[in-house]
Amino acid sequence: MKQFLSTRRGEESIGGAEVARYLQRHPEFFGDHQHLLETLTIPHESGTAVSLVARQLDVLRERNRRLAQQLDELVQIARENDALYQRTHQLTLALLDARSVEDVLASLDWGLHQYFQADFGVVRILAPWRDSPVANLFVPRGATVASWCETVIDAEQPWCGRPEPEPAAFLFGRQAAEVASMAVMGLRHAGLRGLFAIGSRDAARFRPDMSFVLLGQMSEILAARLAMLVHEPG
């Protein structure tokens, strides 16, 4: 059956014979359009033996396919990272607008749910200690998990993974049983020492091998804002 090629200009049909004549008149065509050779299927008769040329073309096509797939994956990762940084920026602005510790916690809770789809988020402050209408915000001296808290606060990176019963109960209270994984970050700034924890019902959400860059940035911003407000009189 005679095959035809359809062009976009005028939707006219060009027969195979016309294509052949064009190529005869323009033998340099594929030299100027070498990228077409990666997708064309060109018969190469070699009897029952495997054509080396055909094999090389197959290898090049497969390599090109893998490279295209890798590029698509990198573009997707870049888009996701850009969206993540945008959400972090919005949360940062919300924290900067807060005028009290209670406002910070409200903005943080809203931002974690709105921008990061977090199931739980808590802050615990070990020092300085003061009275607060927010239950369990300030940790009494001599708390049973104080040693664990100090270890996390002084760590170089956040703690991520499946929670142990006692720390989870300390952080999330009655909701601890629902937390399947968590990320806990130390808060250190201008005398303030505390913890910022995010919990998830998904056991795979927070893992020890995940990237800690944004989590670390979030904890630094939160610590700086809390330190400023905690030390304000009244």
Side-chain angles (χ1 to χ4, degrees), residues 77-164:
I77 291 173
R79 288 173 177 167
E80 292 174 355
N81 286 340
D82 182 65
L84 192 57
Y85 276 106
Q86 289 296 326
R87 292 195 294 269
T88 303
H89 178 66
Q90 293 299 321
L91 179 57
T92 300
L93 293 178
L95 294 177
L96 292 176
D97 284 340
R99 293 294 176 263
S100 68
V101 172
E102 292 73 28
D103 287 345
V104 167
L105 298 180
S107 297
L108 181 65
D109 183 69
W110 180 84
L112 289 176
H113 288 84
Q114 179 74 16
Y115 299 132
F116 299 95
Q117 291 74 52
D119 295 319
F120 310 100
V122 296
V123 171
R124 297 288 182 261
I125 299 176
L126 281 72
W129 194 93
R130 78 177 203 187
D131 289 324
S132 172
V134 180
N136 301 320
L137 173 59
F138 291 90
V139 181
R141 295 178 177 85
T144 57
V145 294
S147 177
W148 178 82
C149 292
E150 295 292 348
T151 299
V152 176
I153 293 172
D154 292 328
E156 293 298 322
Q157 61 186 21
W159 185 97
C160 292
R162 298 194 176 190
E164 297 179 1

Side-chain angles (χ1 to χ4, degrees), residues 120 122 124 135-136 168-179 201:
F120 310 100
V122 296
R124 297 288 182 261
N136 301 320
F170 162 71
L171 291 169
F172 300 103
R174 291 177 296 178
Q175 297 175 316
E178 301 180 53
V179 179
R201 295 185 177 92

Side-chain angles (χ1 to χ4, degrees), residues 46-63:
S46 57
T48 58
V50 177
S51 166
L52 180 59
V53 173
R55 178 57 181 159
Q56 288 175 324
L57 285 174
D58 288 341
V59 170
L60 289 174
R61 289 194 185 103
E62 177 60 23
R63 182 181 301 172

